[in-house]
Amino acid sequence: MCDAVTPLTSAEQAFVAEINRSWTRDEVLARLTRDLQTAVEIELATIPIYLYTYYSLVRNNESGELISDAQLYANKAGGILMSVAVEEMLHMSLSANILWSMGVMPQLYGKAPAAYPTPLPYHNPRGPLGPDGRTAVLIPLGKLSFEQLWHFLQIEYSEQWDAPPQDRDWDTIGQFYSYIRCLLNTRFLADSDFQRGAMASAIQPYNYSPNNVDTVYPSCGFNPWKPAPPATASWAGTIQGAAATAVYPDADDSHAGRSSLIAIRSIRDAAIAIDTICDQGEGRPVPRIGPSPYDDPSKQEDSHYVKFLGLQAQFADYAGTSEQRPLQPSPPTDVIQPAVTGKELLAADVLVDVPDSPVAAGYPEHYVDITNFCSACFQYMLVMTETIYLVPPAQQKLFFNEGLHRSMIWVLDKYVRTIRQIPIPDGAYSGKCMGPTFENVSLGDRIHAFEGLKAYGDKAIAAANALIHRHDPRRVVAHPGHLQRPGRATAKAVKIEKADDDLVSILQNVIYYVGVATCKTGTDNAPMHLPDVGPYWAAARQR
């Protein structure tokens, strides 16, 4: 059952009246499609930022009854970060689906921020005072820290009740979407304006799941051997099993419509999609008060803002901070215990010391090509997301699983976890470990994007082999394709964070995961690599 569409505030009603009085239909349509593309780019901009911090966390150093406070915090922070990143992907898809319904292909490839630290598109460059005493709204790529969580609060800063709708120099994302909500409520639009793109070709609800293995985290120590309830008498004891301590940060009812992800066919559908985006990020609106701490009517899930505020308040730095927060939702008054510090997290080996806002050009020779493949993989994921709209509807679920799911879970995730174990020996980032740069590298035109991805992969393999040769020429991977033959063992699990210095095995893992993306096959020689999007774009060009 759908929730009621959020009613317009008095400020929104006044703006709608002004549009109805002085704008034309063509002006409304042009502004709406432009703002929806901007919405796609705002949501897209947040994804690398959240993922970079997520991958700075090591979530599997400890487990079981004696898990440390530092590991519990890293697990909680990781689960929350991934839960927000997943919902940002949802928000990007919702904005893209509205745009598609209006007959416009959403643009993602090459539309991520050009460099970090970055402003969000059309964000007011001056924001509230931060813990460093500055007001600049420039979001870096960075490992988890008190300051990085402040930047996340800048992104998710809660819109106060009756704030003016703005799509330029906006102070909160809620104000930006408020502007879109006003355009949707003008007299110039009809449901037929949202029926120009085939509804069956939009990104479908079955492609979205609010929780996954990376969003779940334990609330406390647990007995890893105890089965899920109901446990037998022989397992009785005071220590809970893992299932009993598992926290799922995304609630099933965390959406305004019939499902989290919806295809669009009416003004109401578009308005519901906007409500889901705003509620999840800033909290459900409470008339004449402000944003609620929750994003759903059952109060089972915190908004993004409250999730990040809770993580930040567990840092010891929270005591006495001068950062300016909105009046609502009310922030914690004291540091949440047990408190943590960045130094303690690094010392506990649950935080990787990656560079701040790295660029490929700042890495040493060979390291450049290894990190560029990660950026190429991210860009190819954006191309595949665009391609969903061109895939025949009956094939969409298979394409999504073989493309987006495989690239996120089996390629990008594993590749970043691998390169973060590579210490940087010299240059601008000397003494740190490698991190992804998420740069807008070019894969060429979309028809040839898979060939572009393979070209970056070939360079990464050559670079990894060059570094292997420096350490042990006998272990150079002479035939990288052999690693992908059916029946071969997967990548060797090694972790520099656990004092394992087998750098050669880590570099061999780099080669392995490049192959997963570009050339892996199954036992029947069926392709198990990422799909080539070229034929879909070639067919679209012919149409």
Side-chain angles (χ1 to χ4, degrees):
M1 182 178 179
C2 295
D3 296 338
V5 174
T6 299
L8 298 181
T9 66
S10 57
E12 289 172 331
Q13 292 172 9
F15 185 48
V16 170
E18 178 187 336
I19 296 173
N20 285 337
R21 183 174 59 253
S22 58
W23 290 35
T24 67
R25 171 176 161 80
D26 287 345
E27 288 173 332
V28 168
L29 286 171
R31 191 63 167 254
L32 181 56
T33 53
R34 185 177 70 180
D35 279 358
L36 286 169
Q37 175 61 38
T38 299
V40 169
E41 294 175 27
I42 290 173
E43 305 299 345
L44 171 57
T46 69
I47 294 171
I49 293 167
Y50 293 149
L51 289 181
Y52 191 89
T53 302
Y54 173 81
Y55 286 117
S56 73
L57 291 162
V58 181
R59 302 183 63 187
N60 60 349
N61 265 359
E62 303 172 11
S63 183
E65 298 97 323
L66 302 179
I67 190 170
S68 68
D69 289 340
Q71 185 68 79
L72 279 172
Y73 180 81
N75 284 343
K76 176 182 178 181
I80 287 174
L81 272 164
M82 184 54 74
S83 79
V84 173
V86 166
E87 289 189 337
E88 298 297 356
M89 296 173 195
L90 167 66
H91 301 171
M92 183 178 74
S93 299
L94 287 169
S95 296
N97 272 357
I98 302 174
L99 197 56
W100 171 257
S101 76
M102 299 183 72
V104 180
M105 170 63 84
Q107 303 293 305
L108 288 84
Y109 173 40
K111 296 296 185 180
Y116 299 90
T118 184
L120 297 181
Y122 300 108
H123 200 172
N124 185 343
R126 291 178 61 86
L129 196 70
D132 59 359
R134 300 178 182 176
T135 59
V137 184
L138 292 171
I139 315 298
L141 299 179
K143 63 179 176 290
L144 184 73
S145 67
F146 181 80
E147 292 76 16
Q148 187 69 358
L149 286 166
W150 165 250
H151 292 305
F152 294 170
L153 294 178
Q154 287 182 304
I155 294 172
E156 309 288 355
Y157 210 80
S158 295
E159 177 191 8
Q160 298 305 290
W161 180 254
D162 221 19
Q166 293 176 251
D167 67 347
R168 297 296 182 270
D169 285 331
W170 47 269
D171 295 311
T172 69
I173 292 178
Q175 287 177 283
F176 178 83
Y177 282 110
S178 171
Y179 198 101
I180 293 177
R181 186 182 292 113
C182 290
L183 295 174
L184 293 173
N185 278 274
T186 62
R187 64 184 176 88
F188 299 106
L189 300 181
D191 286 345
S192 58
D193 292 315
F194 300 89
Q195 298 169 5
R196 297 178 179 178
M199 190 176 182
S201 295
I203 305 176
Q204 296 298 311
Y206 51 68
N207 291 315
Y208 178 74
S209 176
N211 284 294
N212 58 54
V213 68
D214 290 326
T215 65
V216 184
Y217 63 89
S219 59
C220 59
F222 56 89
N223 182 346
W225 309 111
K226 192 172 186 178
T232 61
S234 61
W235 286 95
T238 58
I239 301 176
Q240 300 181 92
T245 67
V247 178
Y248 297 84
D250 286 346
D252 290 339
D253 67 343
S254 175
H255 51 81
R258 55 191 174 273
S259 60
S260 296
L261 180 57
I262 59 174
I264 309 300
R265 193 166 173 77
S266 67
I267 295 173
R268 178 181 171 79
D269 288 343
I272 287 173
I274 298 301
D275 275 1
T276 291
I277 294 171
C278 293
D279 292 355
Q280 289 183 347
E282 303 179 329
R284 288 174 57 82
V286 179
R288 291 169 294 282
I289 297 177
S292 162
Y294 307 103
D295 73 352
D296 60 324
S298 65
K299 299 182 179 180
Q300 295 297 309
E301 182 182 340
D302 291 336
S303 67
H304 295 179
Y305 177 84
V306 171
K307 287 178 178 179
F308 289 143
L309 185 58
L311 288 177
Q312 194 200 37
Q314 200 166 337
F315 269 85
D317 312 64
Y318 187 79
T321 181
S322 60
E323 66 188 33
Q324 293 180 337
R325 310 182 198 96
L327 296 176
Q328 298 291 338
S330 300
T333 56
D334 299 308
V335 175
I336 297 174
Q337 300 297 325
V340 299
T341 67
K343 288 183 179 180
E344 290 171 351
L345 296 176
L346 286 167
D349 291 330
V350 298
L351 186 63
V352 182
D353 194 12
V354 288
D356 292 333
S357 301
V359 294
Y363 281 118
E365 182 186 14
H366 303 309
Y367 294 72
V368 174
D369 290 325
I370 290 174
T371 195
N372 273 341
F373 178 74
C374 191
S375 294
C377 184
F378 181 68
Q379 290 300 316
Y380 196 67
M381 291 172 67
L382 300 182
V383 176
M384 287 192 292
T385 303
E386 294 175 342
T387 306
I388 290 175
Y389 294 99
L390 305 179
V391 174
Q395 301 173 22
Q396 185 183 124
K397 187 172 182 62
L398 179 63
F399 178 85
F400 190 93
N401 288 338
E402 291 184 341
L404 275 301
H405 180 82
R406 183 177 289 166
S407 62
M408 183 67 203
I409 303 300
W410 298 109
V411 181
L412 186 70
D413 178 87
K414 304 303 184 292
Y415 194 84
V416 177
R417 291 179 190 272
T418 297
I419 68 171
R420 74 180 184 181
Q421 299 172 72
I422 301 175
I424 305 169
D426 53 60
Y429 312 131
S430 177
K432 305 281 187 178
C433 289
M434 285 190 73
T437 60
F438 293 114
E439 293 173 271
N440 285 327
V441 299
S442 175
L443 303 176
D445 62 42
R446 290 168 176 81
I447 289 179
H448 302 107
F450 187 67
E451 296 169 24
L453 177 68
K454 291 171 67 175
Y456 278 103
D458 290 343
K459 290 181 179 180
I461 290 171
N465 267 330
L467 293 174
I468 291 172
H469 189 272
R470 290 182 186 176
H471 292 271
D472 188 347
R474 298 168 301 174
R475 298 175 68 184
V476 167
V477 182
H479 303 286
H482 290 179
L483 295 178
Q484 306 303 325
R485 285 180 175 176
R488 287 281 301 196
T490 57
K492 178 183 176 184
V494 291
K495 288 182 171 61
I496 286 289
E497 300 101 332
K498 291 189 175 180
D500 188 331
D501 60 355
D502 189 3
L503 181 59
V504 170
S505 290
I506 293 170
L507 292 166
Q508 289 175 333
N509 284 357
V510 167
I511 295 172
Y512 175 81
Y513 288 119
V514 170
V516 172
T518 61
C519 65
K520 185 175 177 64
T521 58
T523 54
D524 56 355
N525 290 321
M528 292 182 65
H529 54 73
L530 301 183
D532 182 355
V533 301
Y536 298 107
W537 290 93
R541 182 176 294 180
Q542 291 177 355
R543 291 196 295 268

